[in-house]
Amino acid sequence: MKNFIFISPNFPTNYWQFCHELQNNGMNVLGIGDQPYDELMPELKESLNEYYKVGSLENYDEVYRAVAFFAFKYGKIDWLESNNEYWLEQDARLRTDFNINTGFHLEDIPRIKYKSKMKPFYQKAGITTARYHMVDNFESCRKFIDEVGYPVVVKPDNGVGASDTYKLSSDRELQEFLAYKYAAHPFAPYIMEEFVHAEVNSYDAIIDAHGNPIFEAGNVTPMSIMDIVNNSDNSIYYIVKDLPDDTRAAGRAAVKSFGVKSRFVHFEFFRMTEDQASMGEKGKIVALEVNMRPCGGFTPDMINFARSTNVYKIWADMVAFGGTDMPVGQHFYCAYAGRRDGKPFALSHEQIMQRYQNNMRMVDRIPAALADAMGNQMYVATFSTEEEMNQFYKDVLATE
């Protein structure tokens, strides 16, 4: 029996399904988290062979001791994973320290976590990248802006999601950002990039041990996550009914260039919404960033609805058997709408549920940790046509 350690299996709450499918495949599933065992979801408890509670997952020594305990009790650890962006570096450190070879090690982290270090691997794959400058002082930043023009986007070089990401449109905003950065994050590297007029298209795939995709899908985010976070906007994105050929080609090229194996990945690309001299023509795919984990929140469930399948099982089959025979059925658009509390929406929750009762697949409140990017009240629904989906968005997000 192979030993699989799942870090923070309780968050997001849907991740118990990864553990459930691993256990169904005969693996010894061992959880490490900071939530008391009695507070875990019953489904998660049933999916774990054993759980080790630490005082804080931020405390590496504590987590190290938990892994050491499991290794002493059960023998060699075959896999260690969180499938969570926040813990990718700690996962890699633990794999390095315990010689677990089924995943990234510390030496791999720069190219998969630092936005500036991703760019050469995109370029190696033949994918255009935005010009950039590492934030230092006003004069150097202004020289870069003379080259690319306002607006520019600034963000942590090693960041999670759209956290601490800003669009700067003037010298005054640049000066204010630099003052903030040096006061709040004086030693953290920030990257400045030319602004790309685009929507975000993703390549979501499960990659086997040979670097080949065994499942592929994708989503579209018409609105900027940066704007959603900074302006407290509603949140929308959707799983495409069929993955476009150019997104598939770019995703597969990036998988090879970054050396991805045995992972569920979420690669983000820009699709140009207008011609831009430095980038190319409208419609072109341009690099944004790689995420070496599943797309966040309830997206794995949305992919299941859009493809009539079970990506939790496909991933667990890849881990246990190297491949899968899980079928993929009828394709749909799967739409996510996250409404922000406090807005005067034209339709009440009850009216939405009545109007779309045959389409609705999930309805829930979003955890506070995810609400900045995803809204407070979420609706997930499937549609056969793009026109039906657009009407859904119009109805759910309309205000009085």
Side-chain angles (χ1 to χ4, degrees), residues 16 37-48:
W16 70 268
Y37 179 78
D38 290 344
E39 296 178 9
L40 299 180
M41 294 172 58
E43 297 91 340
L44 177 56
K45 290 181 182 179
E46 294 171 2
S47 302
L48 297 174

Side-chain angles (χ1 to χ4, degrees), residues 6-309:
F6 208 112
I7 304 293
S8 188
N10 56 302
F11 186 85
T13 55
N14 50 325
Y15 273 23
W16 70 268
Q17 296 177 80
F18 285 121
C19 298
H20 174 73
E21 297 298 344
L22 287 170
Q23 192 180 67
N24 277 353
N25 283 345
M27 301 198 74
N28 194 35
V29 188
L30 309 166
I32 299 175
D34 53 14
Q35 185 175 14
Y37 179 78
D38 290 344
E39 296 178 9
L40 299 180
M41 294 172 58
E43 297 91 340
L44 177 56
K45 290 181 182 179
E46 294 171 2
S47 302
L48 297 174
N49 295 82
E50 188 167 350
Y51 179 74
Y52 190 115
K53 181 191 175 300
V54 294
S56 171
L57 285 170
E58 303 278 0
N59 186 327
Y60 184 77
D61 288 342
E62 267 197 289
V63 180
Y64 179 95
R65 286 195 296 271
V67 176
F69 169 79
F70 282 146
F72 174 77
K73 184 172 181 179
Y74 296 102
K76 177 176 170 53
I77 304 303
D78 301 288
W79 291 77
L80 183 145
E81 187 59 74
S82 67
N83 276 344
N84 191 313
E85 182 79 22
Y86 190 81
W87 303 116
L88 285 184
E89 290 183 64
Q90 182 169 274
D91 292 349
R93 184 178 176 187
L94 289 165
R95 290 192 205 99
T96 302
D97 287 349
F98 285 91
N99 194 30
I100 303 168
N101 296 317
T102 48
F104 290 118
H105 283 198
L106 274 178
E107 64 193 36
D108 302 307
I109 287 298
R111 77 175 186 276
I112 67 171
K113 284 287 289 176
Y114 287 82
K115 295 170 179 61
S116 61
K117 299 185 188 302
M118 294 176 188
K119 291 181 182 288
F121 291 91
Y122 277 125
Q123 291 158 1
K124 178 183 171 185
I127 303 168
T128 300
T129 61
R131 291 172 289 179
Y132 76 100
H133 172 74
M134 298 308 296
V135 172
D136 43 14
N137 54 51
F138 179 85
E139 290 74 21
S140 294
C141 290
R142 195 65 189 79
K143 184 177 179 181
F144 172 73
I145 294 167
D146 285 339
E147 179 184 346
V148 302
Y150 279 118
V152 293
V153 174
V154 290
K155 52 192 172 184
D157 196 27
N158 179 13
V160 177
S163 173
D164 219 22
T165 299
Y166 307 99
K167 181 167 73 172
L168 309 180
S169 300
S170 67
D171 285 357
R172 177 182 61 80
E173 290 181 359
L174 172 59
Q175 290 170 330
E176 290 173 351
F177 166 74
L178 291 173
Y180 155 76
K181 187 245 188 276
Y182 292 127
H185 306 288
F187 304 111
Y190 276 64
I191 186 172
M192 175 182 288
E193 294 181 308
E194 63 181 312
F195 185 79
V196 182
H197 298 274
E199 66 178 15
V200 175
N201 285 211
S202 78
Y203 174 78
D204 297 270
I206 297 171
I207 310 300
D208 69 14
H210 304 289
N212 299 314
I214 61 173
F215 176 85
E216 296 170 304
N219 67 50
V220 170
T221 306
M223 301 169 63
S224 162
I225 298 294
M226 173 180 66
D227 291 341
I228 291 170
V229 172
N230 292 336
N231 302 332
S232 295
D233 285 337
N234 301 313
S235 175
I236 67 171
Y237 71 100
Y238 59 91
I239 309 299
V240 293
K241 190 171 183 177
D242 294 294
L243 186 64
D245 290 341
D246 54 357
T247 307
R248 186 191 309 275
R252 289 183 176 185
V255 165
K256 296 298 183 187
S257 184
F258 281 87
V260 181
K261 296 179 180 178
S262 303
R263 295 201 73 76
F264 200 145
V265 299
H266 171 66
F267 291 176
E268 294 177 333
F269 299 95
F270 287 123
R271 185 178 294 280
M272 307 284 295
T273 53
E274 59 183 70
D275 293 348
Q276 198 166 336
S278 61
M279 294 281 103
E281 296 180 351
K282 178 180 177 180
K284 181 181 178 181
I285 289 289
V286 174
L288 176 51
E289 66 183 55
V290 294
N291 298 284
M292 299 297 179
R293 43 77 184 172
C295 189
F298 296 100
T299 307
D301 302 277
M302 291 174 60
I303 294 173
N304 287 346
F305 300 137
R307 293 293 183 274
S308 308
T309 192

